[in-house]
Amino acid sequence: MVLKDSSYAMKGGDIYKAPSERGLTDFDLIQEIIKEDRDRSGASLPRPPPPPVDLLCTNSEMLGQTCQPSSQPVLVARGTACQPTCPFPQLPQSSCPPREMAHPSRGPSSHAGPSRRGRGSDSIPSQSQGDTEMLERVLEKPKLVVVEEPKERGMRFRYECEGRSAGSILGASGTETNKTQPAIEIQGPIDHIKKVTVTVSLVTKDLPHRPHPHCLVGKDCPNGSGICLVTMNPHNNRRHSFSNLGIQCVRRKELDVSLQKRRNQNIDPFKSHSKGIEDMDMNVVRLCFQCELDWEDGRKDCLSPVVSNPIYDKKATTTSQLKISCLNQYRGSCAGKTEIYMLCDKVQKDDIEILFRRGSWKANGEFAQTDVHRQIAIVFKTPPYQDQDITEEVDVNILLRRLSDQMTSEPITFTYLPHNPDPYEVKRKRKIKSDISFRDKPCVTAERPLPAEQSFFPQTQTMMQDERLCAAPSALGEMCYESQDPNMDTDEILNSLLETPVIWELLSDPTLTSSIPPNFDPGADISSSFANMDVNLNQNFGAYTQDFSHYSDLQFNMLVNENQTLQPEPQDCPSNMVHVKTEEEL
DNA sequence: CCCCCGCAAGC
DNA sequence: AGCTTGCGGGG
């Protein structure tokens, strides 16, 4: 029975005794194991030959190494659906081979060199395949694994002229308080390995991974070598952390020299025929780990080179992290066209877009390249929201996105405001109702002034003191809206007007009502909201203005009477009163 | 792109 | 306090 998946054997550690330990040659041992295998598989149920595998599903990296039922598809046979099945169905769950070191941060572009063998469902081979499979397993070498990837972004490549130090590459999983370092680990059988020598060099991000002219500097990097050399005894510590690795960039004109130097050191991990350095990306590198094994018997062996995640130069605008610092406003009409100033980290004016997003809805902020100011500010106009009939504020995300690599910034929230926050007046009427009932409770003040953007009109110092008063501008806004309704007659408009809390407030103050001149004309000293209201009245009601003064006397008296009989206006809270001065007072 | 400089943290 | 070192801004 072939259950000794290589990783299992490796993790188990002592499953295979070293050949020399038992006085056997490699060949003897292979024979022995194959025989064992035959015997056992003879006793077990016959297994159908494995179906050919041709579909590589997404989490292939963990193939054959997890028994967790997963919603993720795994490597499956041709003609079958992706099934989250345990690759070792014969084993009880508890004895499933341990999962290999996980690499959550590893992206699809990163890989651990050419893999020796597939580890998918084809690791349960047919009888004939079993023999060769076993052969390979016995000769299995340990492998080098990047257990802590370098942080992809955040480190600046430094020129030699900027000082000896070029900083230290941090680990990807570290945090501000708990910093980590990139680390590798020797996994698998290490018996009879005397020493492991690891050479770290820089290679290009893209395949084929060619030597990169930039240099590694820092601890364990011999001066001028551009590479890092560490030797480790895996019996003491299988793991090695790189505590001080910096990336020193070379000038473009020294690119050739640097590559030649690397070649002289015989560093070309993937034996790429180094040609065409023109397209070399100077802003991104990968660490490449080459591992040489020294056996006790003096033999030497090399493991396949392993590369890390890419590491991007922080300084380079073409690859740097995108970041929105702030906007001058975070709210705007759902109709769009709101002009916004955004401050951001350096961007390329020809390689950047501003993305508005909510659910599946996407739209772009509108700007030209000339609207990008010195790479750190963008003046743009908001796109209209998908729904122009929103009645509530809608929060959407704004992100910066680089066109070339589709990299995005962290999102920030932008709020779309409805055209008319209350088209059916439900809220306003409810509010008026509650305002009236709250009159029993004097001094009902808003806890804080409403933000300026929430008002459709300029606010003033005094007006915002009382929440009831704050309702005025928006109520007025609605009325402007209403006034466009041809079905609404003058009386209705006036009724609406008189229903607004501000008017109530005014009317409910006896000292005020008595001093209101017959031709109600809010003077310049009254808050600008009132001035505004006046303007709006004149603009929107036009011809009705005359009638208003006529009606107002009647209505005012009515309301004042009604109001006073219902609830005498509390006088103990002058700070919340609108203080309207008449011309006489001035 | 390459280099310079200044600030601030750490010793 | 004075120096080194890391880091970011800027020309």
Side-chain angles (χ1 to χ4, degrees), chain A residues 477-540:
Chain A
E478 287 163 39
M479 286 174 60
C480 300
Y481 178 83
E482 287 163 2
S483 69
Q484 288 155 10
D485 184 349
N487 297 326
M488 190 170 238
D489 64 26
T490 317
D491 284 9
E492 280 177 66
I493 292 166
L494 288 168
N495 284 334
S496 291
L497 180 64
L498 290 162
E499 274 175 42
T500 64
V502 146
I503 304 291
W504 274 83
E505 194 64 52
L506 280 167
L507 299 178
S508 59
D509 185 348
T511 59
L512 223 149
T513 39
S514 61
S515 60
I516 284 181
N519 180 12
F520 175 61
D521 178 19
D525 192 46
I526 307 176
S527 77
S528 61
S529 285
F530 272 90
N532 225 327
M533 183 196 261
D534 187 40
V535 167
N536 278 284
L537 281 172
N538 286 323
Q539 279 175 354
N540 294 294

Side-chain angles (χ1 to χ4, degrees), chain A residues 461-472:
Chain A
Q461 322 80 303
T462 49
M463 286 300 289
M464 290 300 120
Q465 292 299 318
D466 190 315
E467 195 192 355
R468 281 170 290 183
L469 302 183
C470 295

Side-chain angles (χ1 to χ4, degrees), chain A residues 450-459 464 470 473-474 529:
Chain A
L450 291 167
E453 315 86 40
Q454 283 189 4
S455 163
F456 289 122
F457 296 93
Q459 62 177 326
M464 290 300 120
C470 295
S474 53
S529 285

Side-chain angles (χ1 to χ4, degrees), chain A residues 277-295:
Chain A
I277 48 169
E278 294 76 29
D279 59 333
M280 180 104 27
D281 191 340
M282 302 296 276
N283 299 316
V284 54
V285 296
R286 287 180 196 264
L287 301 178
C288 178
F289 303 92
Q290 285 171 282
C291 192
E292 191 185 77
L293 308 174
D294 282 30
W295 300 92

Side-chain angles (χ1 to χ4, degrees), chain A residues 136-164:
Chain A
E136 287 191 20
R137 279 177 194 165
V138 170
L139 299 172
E140 190 102 54
K141 291 182 258 185
K143 62 172 185 171
L144 186 145
V145 173
V146 182
V147 289
E148 174 73 355
E149 289 283 355
K151 210 170 166 207
E152 286 198 17
R153 289 168 205 275
M155 240 257 314
R156 185 151 136 186
F157 298 179
R158 294 284 177 174
Y159 288 92
E160 194 178 3
C161 61
E162 291 186 273
R164 305 163 288 293

